[in-house]
Amino acid sequence: MTIFGTYFETIPLVLMAIFAVCFVYLMLYYGLFHLRVSRYSGTKNKPSKKDNVKLSVSIVLTAKNEEKLLTENLTYLLEQNYPNYEVVVVDNNSFDNTQYVLQLFKNNYPEKLKTLRLTQDVNNFKGKKFPLSVGIQSAKNDIILLTTIDCVPKSFDWLEKMVLPFGKAKTKIVLGYCGLNNKKGLLNAFMQYENLSQSALMFGFALLHKPYCGCGCNMAYRRDFFFKNKGFIQHYHIPFGDDDLFVNKNGNANNTDVCLCEEAFVITEPCKSFSKWIEQRRKLRSTIKHYKFRDRLKLSMLSLMIIMFYIAGLLLYLTQALPVLGFALLGVLVLKLAWQIVCNFQLCRKFGIKGFVAALSPLFEIYFLFANTFLYLFTLRNKKSNGSNS
């Protein structure tokens, strides 16, 4: 092929085009997602505190055999700096001392704490969607704020901050951040990076007015909106996804907002073993196949671009079709890695994650490309095996 009088081989030219497109895509991605989320304050055009104290809120959560965590963490929910709210805890068939711990709290907070106890499993409904629906049905207030008992609000102003976006009438869903406690070790670094990347995607798409998921550890929506959209009925048959599938089915550019101030964060303990982490990831990722097609497509696009960037760059380097091509490729690679680290570092600062996670982000990125592929294939294989044995 001849361009402006210069001869180029077709294959290297195609590889160069692929390499360039992927490079531009990734640079835009790190800027629009990681950097934009890290710099988002959410204070512009937000209603004042005065407008929001009138909103009534119900914090709803479920608990199953959680006597220890209830003892340690429930006080953080019951002592929020907010005048008009209740806490609804659904005891989901616990067989430890959960009911007695809840009764002790009920004695101390008779006006603020509401407890419900399910004593029989509903076999047709796996997971926590049914008990969570019972809690939401029993809630008396206009706003439903969801969390889990293993999460601790980072401040006693958590509820107030999460409710602020509801001052706008069009807001029906508010997405909040759930982080992991910083621990020593490589496993924690892997978990921190994965949570960081998923948060960048979740909040990044929401800020681009294309929400696709939420986190049930820190999320809120209007009670009437929940029932108007028939709650979890559309996906009751799926054990997980009470959070991300609900947002995926009902969130849109007009009704979804985010709350990213530090006071609105919640923190949870990371998994203590690699096997438990893998099992947790398998459960969380099992719902992706139920997302809208366009959301599955845009999520897979990032992985595809990363793979094509490195493969096209490697093939170009091996062919050495143009003079000084190797130095040019190296320069582009260094620029990509530097921009990626800078954007991740800003995101780490935003969410209180140690900076070395950002420094190692290029390596983590490559690892998760392979890990997520194997996890998908493993899940698919197990599904086929279970189907053949049934």
Side-chain angles (χ1 to χ4, degrees), residues 17 28 30 70 77 97 109 145 154 157 220 230 235 259 271 291 363 379 385:
L28 289 173
Y30 298 129
L70 284 166
L77 304 182
N97 293 319
Y109 298 90
L145 178 54
K154 202 164 183 179
D157 294 322
K230 301 180 180 179
H235 45 89
C259 184
C271 294
Y291 287 4
L363 297 178
T379 304
S385 299

Side-chain angles (χ1 to χ4, degrees), residues 324-335:
V324 299
L325 180 61
F327 292 104
L329 292 173
L330 181 61
V332 172
L333 177 61
V334 169
L335 184 59

Side-chain angles (χ1 to χ4, degrees), residues 15-27 305 308-309:
L15 290 174
M16 286 181 62
I18 294 174
F19 185 73
V21 169
C22 293
F23 171 73
V24 172
Y25 180 94
L26 292 174
M27 296 292 278
M305 287 294 176
M308 292 174 63
F309 173 80

Side-chain angles (χ1 to χ4, degrees), residues 49-100:
K49 183 190 300 186
K50 180 180 179 181
D51 295 327
N52 284 273
V53 294
K54 299 178 182 179
L55 296 174
S56 58
V57 183
S58 293
I59 301 174
V60 180
L61 63 153
T62 66
K64 184 169 185 175
N65 301 325
E66 300 287 9
E67 57 176 302
K68 183 175 183 296
L69 287 175
L70 284 166
T71 303
E72 295 174 349
N73 298 340
L74 190 55
T75 302
Y76 291 97
L77 304 182
L78 292 165
E79 291 291 343
Q80 288 291 304
N81 297 324
Y82 199 81
N84 187 15
Y85 81 101
E86 65 174 353
V87 178
V88 181
V89 182
V90 182
D91 179 1
N92 183 19
N93 301 286
S94 297
F95 49 80
D96 63 353
N97 293 319
T98 290
Q99 63 171 313
Y100 304 111

Side-chain angles (χ1 to χ4, degrees), residues 25-270:
Y25 180 94
L26 292 174
M27 296 292 278
L28 289 173
Y29 164 75
Y30 298 129
L32 287 174
F33 287 78
H34 294 235
L35 191 61
R36 184 179 184 184
V37 170
S38 68
R39 296 173 65 87
Y40 180 77
S41 64
T43 57
K44 185 178 180 181
N45 297 325
K46 285 290 187 286
S48 65
K49 183 190 300 186
K50 180 180 179 181
D51 295 327
N52 284 273
V53 294
K54 299 178 182 179
L55 296 174
S56 58
V57 183
S58 293
I59 301 174
V60 180
L61 63 153
T62 66
K64 184 169 185 175
N65 301 325
E66 300 287 9
E67 57 176 302
K68 183 175 183 296
L69 287 175
L70 284 166
T71 303
E72 295 174 349
N73 298 340
L74 190 55
T75 302
Y76 291 97
L77 304 182
L78 292 165
E79 291 291 343
Q80 288 291 304
N81 297 324
Y82 199 81
N84 187 15
Y85 81 101
E86 65 174 353
V87 178
V88 181
V89 182
V90 182
D91 179 1
N92 183 19
N93 301 286
S94 297
F95 49 80
D96 63 353
N97 293 319
T98 290
Q99 63 171 313
Y100 304 111
V101 173
L102 287 174
Q103 185 57 52
L104 288 175
F105 275 100
K106 179 70 174 175
N107 294 338
N108 292 325
Y109 298 90
E111 301 298 324
K112 189 171 290 185
L113 178 63
K114 178 186 291 185
T115 62
L116 304 166
R117 189 175 181 223
L118 302 181
T119 57
Q120 184 176 3
D121 280 319
V122 182
N123 294 326
N124 292 330
F125 303 126
K126 297 180 180 180
K128 67 176 186 177
K129 291 178 183 176
F130 178 73
L132 196 58
S133 296
V134 171
I136 295 172
Q137 178 72 52
S138 302
K140 66 179 182 180
N141 294 323
D142 300 329
I143 306 298
I144 302 297
L145 178 54
L146 302 176
T147 188
T148 55
I149 196 56
D150 58 338
C151 293
V152 177
K154 202 164 183 179
S155 80
F156 288 102
D157 294 322
W158 164 66
L159 191 159
E160 176 190 305
K161 299 300 182 182
M162 283 295 294
V163 170
L164 278 175
F166 286 110
K168 296 182 292 186
K170 69 175 184 178
T171 301
K172 307 298 182 183
I173 302 172
V174 175
L175 308 178
Y177 171 75
C178 177
L180 305 174
N181 266 328
N182 286 305
K183 303 285 185 178
K184 295 181 179 180
L186 187 61
L187 176 59
N188 187 258
F190 276 114
M191 289 188 285
Q192 293 285 5
Y193 173 80
E194 183 183 42
N195 189 59
L196 192 75
S197 300
Q198 291 177 345
S199 298
L201 280 169
M202 181 176 74
F203 295 122
F205 275 116
L207 291 175
L208 291 172
H209 307 295
K210 299 181 184 297
Y212 77 95
C213 78
C215 176
C217 296
N218 195 14
M219 186 173 77
Y221 40 68
R222 297 186 187 273
R223 186 173 182 271
D224 59 349
F225 177 79
F226 176 81
F227 289 112
K228 181 180 179 181
N229 289 280
K230 301 180 180 179
F232 307 128
I233 289 178
Q234 297 181 60
H235 45 89
Y236 249 135
H237 61 288
I238 305 169
F240 312 104
D242 52 277
D243 45 11
D244 58 339
L245 286 180
F246 181 81
V247 176
N248 191 261
K249 303 298 181 184
N250 303 301
N252 59 47
N254 297 316
N255 66 13
T256 305
D257 205 342
V258 302
C259 184
L260 290 179
C261 60
E262 186 176 359
E263 296 89 343
F265 296 170
V266 299
I267 305 296
T268 187
E269 287 294 318

Side-chain angles (χ1 to χ4, degrees), residues 303-328:
S303 298
L304 180 63
M305 287 294 176
I306 296 172
I307 293 173
M308 292 174 63
F309 173 80
Y310 285 111
I311 291 178
L314 178 62
L315 292 177
L316 277 172
Y317 179 79
L318 292 176
T319 57
Q320 289 286 318
L322 295 174
V324 299
L325 180 61
F327 292 104

